Amino acid sequence: MRLKITAVFLLLSVIFTYLVFKGKYFSVNQGPEVKSATNALTAEAIFNKLETSELRDYKGNKISVDKSALATHQGVIVHLWASWCGPCVNEVPELVVFAKTHPDIKFIIVSLDEQQDDIFKFLKSFPEFDSDKFIRVWDGPSSISKFLDADRLPMSVIMRKDKSEPQVVKSVVDWKNLKL
């Protein structure tokens, strides 16, 4: 009887290990996932989504994004984050420095926090994140994160003026070494 239990346990262990490391059911973070977006996810499609969505700022006020105004910048970065996400919090100081040193890039920072109070507590620790350099969006209904297929945080969608396909980074961005 013990031999059967041991054999079943070993078989289940092998199956579970396979699913974790090779399967698609569980995810092991093995560094940033950087990829080009699919054909459906173009800079134009993202700009259209931002322009036509009913967006709210961190205070819950309606805001609008003008895609023609975004097109005047050399690049636009849509950055998804949450105050409960440790890597997101750790990334903010470098992101702020990058934003200050790249005035030709416009940032749309999208919070996935469920409660506004969480955002305001976060902003007390990082007041630079509340500057005019950033368009601040609270994705309460998750319409933007669903559109961008955000399955992990932080996530950045980097759109360059000279490329129609955005670059999607589903992890922390190395802002110190990012070349645009």
Side-chain angles (χ1 to χ4, degrees):
M1 183 66 173
R2 286 185 179 175
L3 183 60
K4 288 182 182 180
I5 292 174
T6 303
V8 168
F9 177 75
L10 287 174
L11 179 63
L12 290 175
S13 298
V14 168
I15 292 170
F16 181 75
T17 302
Y18 174 78
L19 291 175
V20 168
F21 291 103
K22 297 289 185 186
K24 296 180 181 179
Y25 300 102
F26 300 96
S27 174
V28 175
N29 189 1
Q30 299 177 3
E33 178 183 337
V34 180
K35 63 179 184 177
S36 291
T38 62
N39 289 339
L41 190 61
T42 63
E44 183 68 22
I46 294 169
F47 290 155
N48 286 339
K49 175 68 175 173
L50 291 169
E51 187 174 56
T52 59
S53 294
E54 188 173 302
L55 302 177
R56 304 239 176 227
D57 67 9
Y58 293 168
K59 295 177 183 173
N61 301 321
K62 285 185 179 181
I63 59 171
S64 61
V65 174
D66 180 11
K67 73 177 180 181
S68 60
L70 291 177
T72 63
H73 296 278
Q74 282 300 107
V76 176
I77 297 176
V78 179
H79 181 73
L80 287 79
W81 67 280
S83 64
W84 46 261
C85 166
C88 300
V89 174
N90 292 337
E91 179 180 40
V92 169
E94 285 185 19
L95 186 146
V96 169
V97 169
F98 182 86
K100 287 179 181 177
T101 58
H102 291 80
D104 54 338
I105 305 295
K106 190 64 175 179
F107 287 84
I108 301 170
I109 52 174
V110 182
S111 171
L112 274 61
D113 283 294
E114 292 182 18
Q115 304 294 321
Q116 287 175 306
D117 290 343
D118 296 334
I119 298 170
F120 296 134
K121 288 176 190 173
F122 175 86
L123 292 176
K124 285 181 183 177
S125 298
F126 298 102
E128 304 90 4
F129 217 43
D130 198 20
S131 75
D132 290 339
K133 181 66 180 165
F134 303 102
I135 297 173
R136 293 163 298 284
V137 176
W138 180 31
D139 198 25
S142 302
S143 64
I144 296 172
S145 58
K146 286 178 184 173
F147 178 77
L148 296 175
D149 191 28
D151 58 355
R152 67 183 87 163
L153 294 177
M155 178 178 157
S156 297
V157 180
I158 303 166
M159 297 172 281
R160 295 175 178 91
K161 194 172 194 170
D162 58 341
K163 296 184 180 183
S164 63
E165 271 195 28
Q167 178 185 13
V168 178
V169 181
K170 292 187 174 188
S171 186
V172 174
V173 173
D174 182 5
W175 295 106
K176 288 181 182 177
N177 296 312
L178 182 65
K179 304 290 185 224
L180 293 179

